[in-house]
Amino acid sequence: LLILTFWLAALLSSGFEVSTAILMEYTSRLAVLLTLYFVVLLVLLPLLRKTISARVCATLWLLPVFVYYGQYMMYRGTVPPLVVLRIPRPLAAILPWLWLSGFLVVLLWQLISHLRFRRMLLKGARPVEDQEVKDLWREEEQLVLLKRPLPLLVSPALSSPLTIGLFGRTMCTVLPQRDYTLDQYQLIFRHELHHVQRMDISTKCFYLFCKALCWFNPLMWIAVRKASADLELSCDEMVAYDAEDDTRREYASLLLETAGDERGFTTCLSASASSLRRRLKGVMVPRERSSGTVALGLTMATLVLCSGLVWVTTVSGSAGELLFSNQEDVTFQSVWVTMDSGSVHSKEPSPAVSQALLDELASLPVTRLSTGSTLPGNDPPRLSSFLHGGAHMQMLELTDGLCSLTTLDGDRQVSILYRVDGPVDWEGLYALIEEGSA
């Protein structure tokens, strides 16, 4: 939703070309940052599972949400990125369309797979008729304070209890066509209702979106599988919390007896055989683990504070090539240079001063970062200038590490943010503008 909102806002304010550029830059950064985060988490996961609660491990997979908002924060930032990943221009012309094709294919495939599974699952489903089971279900619903009753169905096409449906009106819990004891029903209901209470199906939707966004990266597919396993582990942890040994054995027996078939937007009691050993060990041999609150807080803070340190670009070169491509048409209208020692302003500098200034600025190496971003703040050292870049008025902002060029085209303005990859001769610029103002 955030990505779509950014794109629509840019489309209305700056047109299709600019909004498309913003969308591709934004999603490419997200793909890189999501990959980096999940790789680090995959490496640390065995240690984390031993030391902190399963609930916090499951929550750690959701923290890339902060990466999304962090990207917006970077648009207002004044710190240049630490690492810029460069994509060659010929490849850059093909990659966006290749990525977009893969993104749509994976997203649609997952959606269609979910809808087909749901149709197959509910085709022969019917409401549970046993009054004792229905009463137990309502009691457990009240314990987790559900706002609306959830349908409880039984389906012959199912082998393991699960909850399916992304929206409240379409969500339901479905049981396989087999007999359980009331104690077993209670454990099943607690497991599934914990999923519903935590909105874990929405979490699964987020995981699938991450997988579609980074469809080209096999590590992302592994991360999504591990994240889904942690959701189930955390529910096991909550169901078995402070339970007697008999209850733990009963719950472990349930996990062994149910072969899960988890697809689409669902939560399943026993999702896969590969995770059973770890889940059974967690149920039968609970270990003392820290709450993980400190680890969670540190990770959140790190994601926010490090936002914008890694960037992706397809364009780099000199300022003369990227900012002043038609140098013979560039004329400076007014220039301000501000330093700690003072500031100087030159209105309509002479042709000689304008050419010297252009030569100095054009020699700076720069890397294009993002469309639609300007350089905020007024901290020195800083150069600000209005200039004619051919048919349109432009505004140039330059500081150590960053610069932006804003083109004013009627009611619209298009800004591009660059990283400055070399030192700026502030003393020389100050002296040059001081000379032009004399």
Side-chain angles (χ1 to χ4, degrees), residues 19 38 58 60 97 243 255 354 363 368 387 390 420 429 435:
S19 64
F38 283 142
L60 285 171
W97 300 108
L255 295 180
S354 290
S363 65
R368 178 170 173 159
L387 57 104
V420 179
L429 288 175
E435 177 187 340

Side-chain angles (χ1 to χ4, degrees), residues 10-323:
L11 181 64
L12 293 174
S13 63
S14 304
F16 179 77
E17 185 177 352
V18 173
S19 64
T20 302
I22 291 174
L23 178 64
M24 298 312 299
E25 292 166 358
Y26 188 82
T27 50
S28 63
R29 289 196 299 274
L30 282 177
V32 170
L33 292 171
L34 285 170
T35 299
L36 289 175
Y37 177 78
F38 283 142
V39 166
V40 172
L41 192 52
L42 280 171
V43 172
L44 297 178
L45 191 59
L47 175 63
L48 293 173
R49 282 177 171 171
K50 292 178 181 178
T51 55
I52 63 177
S53 69
R55 188 176 184 180
V56 170
C57 285
T59 307
L60 285 171
W61 295 103
L62 293 176
L63 291 191
V65 170
F66 287 91
V67 173
Y68 287 72
Y69 291 97
Q71 293 303 294
Y72 178 77
M73 292 172 61
M74 179 56 194
Y75 283 116
R76 305 293 182 262
T78 57
V79 179
L82 185 65
V83 177
V84 177
L85 305 178
R86 292 180 173 85
I87 302 174
R89 288 192 186 185
L91 192 60
I94 302 171
L95 280 182
W97 300 108
L98 180 63
W99 168 82
L100 186 59
S101 300
F103 173 76
L104 293 176
V105 167
V106 173
L107 202 61
L108 289 174
W109 166 62
Q110 292 178 145
L111 181 60
I112 292 170
S113 175
H114 165 74
L115 293 175
R116 290 181 62 186
F117 180 64
R118 179 185 176 85
R119 182 180 178 185
M120 179 270 295
L121 186 66
L122 300 183
K123 187 175 182 180
R126 66 182 189 279
V128 171
E129 297 176 355
D130 190 316
Q131 191 60 44
E132 285 187 312
V133 176
K134 290 163 64 175
D135 291 342
L136 180 61
W137 173 248
R138 298 308 171 199
E139 289 175 13
E140 293 298 325
E141 277 188 322
Q142 291 173 7
L143 288 176
V144 297
L145 304 176
L146 282 191
K147 293 182 179 179
R148 70 167 67 192
L150 200 64
L152 182 64
L153 308 176
V154 60
S155 171
L158 194 62
S159 58
S160 176
L162 58 77
T163 301
I164 189 170
L166 183 57
F167 306 105
R169 289 179 296 178
T170 62
M171 190 180 296
C172 59
T173 296
V174 189
L175 304 174
Q177 197 168 4
R178 57 161 292 184
D179 293 326
Y180 296 101
T181 66
L182 283 179
D183 289 339
Q184 289 176 324
Y185 274 122
Q186 186 177 50
L187 293 172
I188 291 170
F189 293 164
R190 288 182 178 178
H191 180 98
E192 293 304 321
L193 287 171
H194 277 311
H195 279 306
V196 174
Q197 185 185 39
R198 298 188 316 187
M199 301 176 66
D200 282 348
I201 294 180
S202 297
T203 299
K204 291 286 188 73
C205 183
F206 172 71
Y207 291 161
L208 296 179
F209 176 79
C210 290
K211 187 162 68 173
L213 187 68
C214 303
W215 61 266
F216 52 87
N217 190 338
L219 289 173
M220 181 61 71
W221 294 67
I222 297 172
V224 167
R225 190 170 68 249
K226 297 283 189 182
S228 297
D230 275 336
L231 279 184
E232 300 301 331
L233 283 168
S234 65
C235 263
D236 294 342
E237 185 180 69
M238 294 173 75
V239 171
Y241 181 74
D242 274 351
E244 300 293 335
D245 289 342
D246 290 344
T247 303
R248 291 180 180 274
R249 281 194 292 270
E250 188 74 49
Y251 189 63
S253 177
L254 267 177
L255 295 180
L256 283 171
E257 293 172 7
T258 54
D261 187 10
E262 184 185 32
R263 285 180 273 174
F265 307 129
T266 65
T267 59
C268 185
L269 177 67
S270 183
S272 66
S274 61
S275 64
L276 272 181
R277 181 181 177 183
R278 185 164 52 252
R279 294 181 66 184
L280 290 171
K281 185 176 180 180
V283 171
M284 296 304 300
V285 191
R287 296 178 56 179
E288 287 293 331
R289 295 180 176 88
S290 68
S291 65
T293 307
V294 174
L296 201 60
L298 288 175
T299 307
M300 290 167 61
T302 302
L303 280 174
V304 173
L305 294 174
C306 293
S307 178
L309 294 184
V310 179
W311 219 254
V312 181
T313 188
T314 59
V315 180
S316 61
S318 69
E321 297 170 333
L322 303 183
L323 279 73

Side-chain angles (χ1 to χ4, degrees), residues 393-430:
M393 178 69 77
Q394 295 177 314
M395 182 174 182
L396 174 69
E397 298 279 351
L398 171 69
T399 186
D400 278 329
L402 291 171
C403 73
S404 65
L405 185 67
T406 302
T407 301
L408 308 175
D409 182 8
D411 294 334
R412 292 183 174 180
Q413 63 179 40
V414 179
S415 301
I416 301 177
L417 183 68
Y418 298 86
R419 186 179 74 166
V420 179
D421 298 321
V424 179
D425 182 9
W426 291 106
E427 296 291 343
L429 288 175
Y430 190 93

